[in-house]
Amino acid sequence: MPGPLEGIRVADFTWVWAGPSCTLQLAHMGAEVIRMESRRRICVLRMLPPWPGGQPNPNRSGYFNQYNQGKRGITLDISKPEGREIARRIVAISDVAAENFAGGVIDRLGLGYEELRQVKPDLVMISMSGYGQTGPESPYVSYGPAQVPLSGMSQLTGYRGWPPMHVGMSYGDPNAGLHAAFAVLAALYYRQRTGKGQYIDMSQWESTMAVIGDGIMHYTMNGEHPERNGNRVPEMAPHGVFRCAPAATLPGYPEDDRWVSIACGSDAEWRAFCGVMGRAEMADDPRFRTLAGRKTSEDALEEIVAAWTITRDPFEVMELCQAAGVAAFPPQSNRELAEDPHLNARGFFVEKPHADPEVGVRKHAGMPWRMSDTPCEVWRAAPVMGQDNDYVFGELLGMSSQQVAELTERQVIY
Amino acid sequence: MTSGETPAALDDIRVLDLAGETGQYCTKLLADLGADVIKVEPPSGDPVRALPPYFQDDPNTSLYWLNLNTNKRSITLDISHPQAGPLFEKLLRTADVVVESFEPGHLDALGLGYAGLSRIRPDVILTSITGFGQWGPHARYKAPDIVGVAMGGVMWLAGEPEDPPNLPPWKQGYISASIIGAAGTLVALYHRDVTGEGQHVDVSMQESLSLNQETAMQTWDMIQALRCRNGSRGIIPIDIPGIGIYECTDGHVFGYLGTPGGAPWSAMLDWMIQESEAEDLTDEPHKSFIDNLNLRFLTGLFQEPAKLGEKIQIMSHIKQVLTRFVSRRSKWEMYEGGQGRRLLWGIVSTPQDIAENPQLTHRKWLADVHHPELGATLRYPGPPYRLSETPWAIRRRPPLAGEHNAELFGELRVSEDEWRALQAAGAV
């Protein structure tokens, strides 16, 4: 696979969202990622929508296919001793092993770091459990959606005076996956210099708390709990999301669900924004001239901004503001994102044919970086179950077709 | 720069950190694994130093800034000053990586874009972290964090349906772009060590966040539906008992019952029966409904919420009984009692819950760092990951502005006369 990690192979035991979003980054960079799945316990993402035509089918889940692009897929039941033995053989020819079972599970399967380093001494292995491999809560049940509230993020999210709120999706998962990919790269870099592998114990919980650091410090150092404050921040005003003119979008969706975010930091930006609104005189209004004033009179300020946006299209507001050097952008729906002219111009979306013709060519979010010297490319869509059995068992491990057939018969390859 | 015996994964890398808020978590990730990150601050200091929250109301001690700048050194140097060139060049010759987050074109205008930098240091890696990336129709749009999460599709998913989309806290746009920037930097270093070639890594906050949208993209692509926000119910658009935020005697908990890996919903009912608080949930139609409340059922609901019909009332009643059960218990009773039964109840943690949590205490997650000039030991968030051979560590407290000027001028053999001249000219 072309890319800066060409030649690196990843034995991928991960499932659901967090783990696969880590190995997705490695696949994007050119590593050969071999996802080990089993029909005995199908990956949760394969069982979740959306599916083309709305018909459930484990090979067609858009959710799974988004986060497993560019990976190879095999079916192997690692609950069976023979399956585990084959998994060890795959690790022996890999550079990285990744898993995200609950704390302690991979050790009980006999596939923990201490065992795997016997077959691959310079292995880099990452475990991404919910709570880490040690400590009293280590074996607790975890899913990404619960990491958001556990990390403190929900306590700090929401409108002023309201109860805590979820951030709307399972943010703990991709955040853990991104941190994990970085940690694996650091370990690979170290291995390249020293020849030494290592084990990475990552707690999804800890990696989610790491991104709300000053909220935690505010308590540890000042004994204060930050308040939920909707879309406001101390250092900018206006800083919020304002309702725009109603317009029909799709049948069944409310016409007034149209918004634009606007933020002014400096007084110069505020002045420019007053010009955009056709209210140049307001720039010198003593209530709003300085940030301190705008913060004190933020309710009145927001009313003025909202009265201006409510008669306008959100993208029109964006263009008017940005042309004047004022930060503004509509909170984009999934449709607006898919149709975003900038993302499309940058070639962000990946459209590769999927092995299941019912899936065909779909539009997936692609690589978040452009590398000038080592362009990365998704070489293939996500695998259907067992798509690469022949390649991995036959070509890489050298099994005969008779052996493969026999293991399939006994549901080791399953 | 390691101290003591423990090696660090990145301790042979020097990074010049020109980044503003957008990219400071990137250089923190590199510094916390041992890279020698030198912040190049304007003579008046990095403006991010002025942002709240503050340590004990002292506007000169920003906790926000401190958290993002652990393990870094600081030099004050105005890179746009005409006389700063030779010193910056000396510094650049010793560096492997430059990280920046200026508006695209800003460094080019100073002659310090990728072309300019690589003339001085041919194998340099330049990582640029901006709202929309270096090129494309929106490349020059302004993009503070709120714009980032708006344009990246994440904000659309958060908040109550009738109310505005809601900002996730603590600048997740900057954070996501920074993590992607750090990973891009490392893979470029890996490639440099193989081939000897540097490169320009162009990171977009919009693209970084777009990766985090769960099913949103495919929901449009496959079934032409919008994914809308559902407020406190969490990610599922229907009020399902046991999923979402519930109020306790002393705060809130989050339930995520009936998912694979944990116990079935019926284990929750058993708990309620055991405490004699199941009310009529052991009767029909509630009992059968609970027995079937699993992922397959939930997936069906996802697909065709319209088919729910009379089930809405059953679910609503189960939720009411459960709400009463939870409301009589503390966060810890729900968390421990639930997890003891393999039921996923999690605490909606306050920062205090985090600071006092036994699991985190056991793992020594919070990190104490002494600040002699404050006469205080500050307690920092700990490692996002633990590398066995090359551990994450805070080896050095965040720098004062220009704290390492003399040290670095010494390393770079800048004479006292040169230094004085630069100072007189206002470049340092």
Side-chain angles (χ1 to χ4, degrees), chain B residues 236-271:
Chain B
I236 296 175
I238 305 160
D239 236 344
I240 295 165
I243 292 188
I245 293 175
Y246 285 72
E247 191 164 5
C248 310
T249 54
D250 58 349
H252 297 84
V253 286
F254 179 80
Y256 208 63
L257 304 185
T259 48
W265 217 106
S266 55
M268 184 70 228
L269 183 60
D270 291 341
W271 184 10

Side-chain angles (χ1 to χ4, degrees), chain B residues 246-317:
Chain B
Y246 285 72
E247 191 164 5
C248 310
T249 54
D250 58 349
H252 297 84
V253 286
F254 179 80
Y256 208 63
L257 304 185
T259 48
W265 217 106
S266 55
M268 184 70 228
L269 183 60
D270 291 341
W271 184 10
M272 296 164 86
I273 293 169
Q274 200 184 332
E275 308 272 348
S276 307
E277 289 177 54
E279 303 184 25
D280 58 357
L281 297 191
T282 48
D283 305 336
E284 294 301 343
H286 308 117
K287 175 77 170 61
S288 303
F289 188 88
I290 286 171
D291 286 340
N292 289 314
L293 199 47
N294 55 29
L295 181 70
R296 190 176 294 271
F297 174 77
L298 294 179
T299 305
L301 292 187
F302 250 134
Q303 291 296 99
E304 289 176 278
K307 278 198 178 169
L308 273 169
E310 80 285 3
K311 295 198 177 81
I312 295 270
Q313 258 183 330
I314 303 175
M315 287 203 286
S316 161
H317 179 71

Side-chain angles (χ1 to χ4, degrees), chain B residues 53 184 234 283 344 360 399 412 428:
Chain B
D283 305 336
L344 181 40
L360 299 172
L412 299 171
V428 301

Side-chain angles (χ1 to χ4, degrees), chain A residues 175-198:
Chain A
N175 177 68
L178 297 185
H179 276 95
F182 171 75
V184 168
L185 289 170
L188 281 174
Y189 181 83
Y190 183 72
R191 189 190 71 158
Q192 186 165 257
R193 277 202 290 149
T194 64
K196 287 183 188 163
Q198 59 182 314

Side-chain angles (χ1 to χ4, degrees), chain A residues 171-337:
Chain A
Y171 190 76
D173 282 316
N175 177 68
L178 297 185
H179 276 95
F182 171 75
V184 168
L185 289 170
L188 281 174
Y189 181 83
Y190 183 72
R191 189 190 71 158
Q192 186 165 257
R193 277 202 290 149
T194 64
K196 287 183 188 163
Q198 59 182 314
Y199 177 63
I200 305 165
D201 167 15
M202 177 162 150
S203 146
Q204 288 183 35
W205 189 19
E206 290 171 354
S207 69
T208 312
M209 287 183 298
V211 300
I212 54 161
D214 49 306
I216 292 170
M217 286 183 85
H218 198 35
Y219 175 77
T220 60
M221 299 323 304
N222 297 331
E224 285 174 29
H225 282 135
E227 299 222 16
R228 284 182 287 284
N229 204 7
N231 292 329
R232 293 181 182 181
V233 297
E235 70 272 17
M236 291 179 129
H239 185 280
V241 177
F242 303 91
R243 201 186 285 273
C244 294
T249 49
L250 283 171
Y253 292 94
E255 297 195 352
D256 64 349
D257 197 17
R258 309 252 295 156
W259 308 84
V260 66
S261 72
I262 298 173
C264 293
S266 67
D267 297 343
E269 284 169 351
W270 163 244
R271 188 167 287 278
F273 182 49
C274 289
V276 172
M277 291 194 292
R279 303 278 303 271
E281 80 292 348
M282 212 166 50
D284 292 316
D285 184 324
R287 285 179 303 167
F288 305 135
R289 207 173 49 221
T290 64
L291 174 66
R294 293 194 296 278
K295 285 304 295 177
T296 307
S297 305
E298 200 161 2
D299 288 344
L301 176 75
E302 289 188 350
E303 269 179 42
I304 291 166
V305 177
W308 180 71
T309 59
I310 193 68
T311 59
R312 286 172 174 76
D313 177 86
F315 288 92
E316 177 202 345
V317 171
M318 169 192 89
E319 280 172 17
L320 288 171
C321 287
Q322 292 282 3
V326 175
F329 214 92
Q332 297 211 95
S333 69
N334 45 345
R335 176 192 190 169
E336 286 160 344
L337 208 69

Side-chain angles (χ1 to χ4, degrees), chain A residues 137 143 150 159 214 235 373, chain B residues 164 170-171 197 260 335 349 359:
Chain A
E137 294 166 33
Y143 269 88
L150 267 170
Y159 311 114
D214 49 306
E235 70 272 17
D373 196 53
Chain B
W170 271 253
K171 301 185 178 171
E197 284 168 17
Y335 183 47
S349 304
Q359 169 75 3

Side-chain angles (χ1 to χ4, degrees), chain B residues 4-33:
Chain B
E5 304 290 307
T6 319
L10 310 179
D11 65 7
D12 66 337
I13 297 167
R14 176 171 285 181
V15 179
L16 299 188
D17 181 1
L18 310 181
E21 255 190 296
T22 315
Q24 291 193 359
Y25 189 68
C26 166
T27 45
K28 172 186 166 67
L29 290 174
L30 297 168
D32 289 352
L33 290 185

Side-chain angles (χ1 to χ4, degrees), chain B residues 110-372:
Chain B
L110 295 174
L112 298 174
Y114 179 66
L117 296 177
S118 57
R119 258 196 301 279
I120 301 163
R121 166 97 195 196
D123 62 352
V124 74
I125 288 151
L126 172 64
T127 300
S128 298
I129 306 174
T130 57
F132 296 86
Q134 296 295 298
W135 51 274
H138 296 157
R140 285 174 185 260
Y141 273 19
K142 288 210 171 171
D145 181 76
I146 189 172
V147 160
V149 296
M151 71 205 187
V154 168
M155 199 180 205
W156 182 257
L157 306 174
E160 293 292 339
E162 302 79 19
D163 293 298
N166 208 332
L167 188 63
W170 271 253
K171 301 185 178 171
Q172 297 308 314
Y174 295 159
I175 297 271
S176 281
S178 276
I179 310 171
I180 290 292
T185 303
L186 274 194
V187 82
L189 277 166
Y190 187 88
H191 179 74
R192 182 202 68 175
D193 283 3
V194 176
T195 63
E197 284 168 17
Q199 59 185 313
H200 189 186
V201 181
D202 168 15
V203 176
S204 146
M205 174 162 44
Q206 182 180 32
E207 291 168 358
S208 303
L209 282 163
S210 296
L211 275 184
N212 296 354
Q213 295 175 85
E214 221 168 69
T215 60
M217 272 291 308
Q218 275 57 56
T219 301
W220 173 250
D221 188 52
M222 286 185 162
I223 57 174
Q224 283 74 53
L226 300 186
R227 235 197 91 170
C228 296
R229 53 195 186 280
N230 306 304
S232 57
R233 283 179 298 204
I235 64 165
I236 296 175
I238 305 160
D239 236 344
I240 295 165
I243 292 188
I245 293 175
Y246 285 72
E247 191 164 5
C248 310
T249 54
D250 58 349
H252 297 84
V253 286
F254 179 80
Y256 208 63
L257 304 185
T259 48
W265 217 106
S266 55
M268 184 70 228
L269 183 60
D270 291 341
W271 184 10
M272 296 164 86
I273 293 169
Q274 200 184 332
E275 308 272 348
S276 307
E277 289 177 54
E279 303 184 25
D280 58 357
L281 297 191
T282 48
D283 305 336
E284 294 301 343
H286 308 117
K287 175 77 170 61
S288 303
F289 188 88
I290 286 171
D291 286 340
N292 289 314
L293 199 47
N294 55 29
L295 181 70
R296 190 176 294 271
F297 174 77
L298 294 179
T299 305
L301 292 187
F302 250 134
Q303 291 296 99
E304 289 176 278
K307 278 198 178 169
L308 273 169
E310 80 285 3
K311 295 198 177 81
I312 295 270
Q313 258 183 330
I314 303 175
M315 287 203 286
S316 161
H317 179 71
I318 298 172
K319 185 174 176 175
Q320 282 168 20
V321 178
L322 180 64
T323 302
R324 282 194 282 275
F325 180 88
V326 178
S327 73
R328 298 185 195 106
R329 287 171 174 75
S330 71
K331 304 184 267 202
W332 266 98
E333 282 174 277
M334 286 308 302
Y335 183 47
E336 294 287 285
Q339 291 282 358
R341 293 169 173 83
R342 310 280 308 150
L343 291 166
L344 181 40
W345 284 104
I347 293 176
V348 178
S349 304
T350 63
Q352 181 176 7
D353 292 325
I354 288 164
E356 295 171 358
N357 178 279
Q359 169 75 3
L360 299 172
T361 307
H362 179 92
R363 284 167 66 84
K364 300 186 173 63
W365 186 68
L366 290 163
D368 287 336
V369 180
H370 191 55
H371 287 246

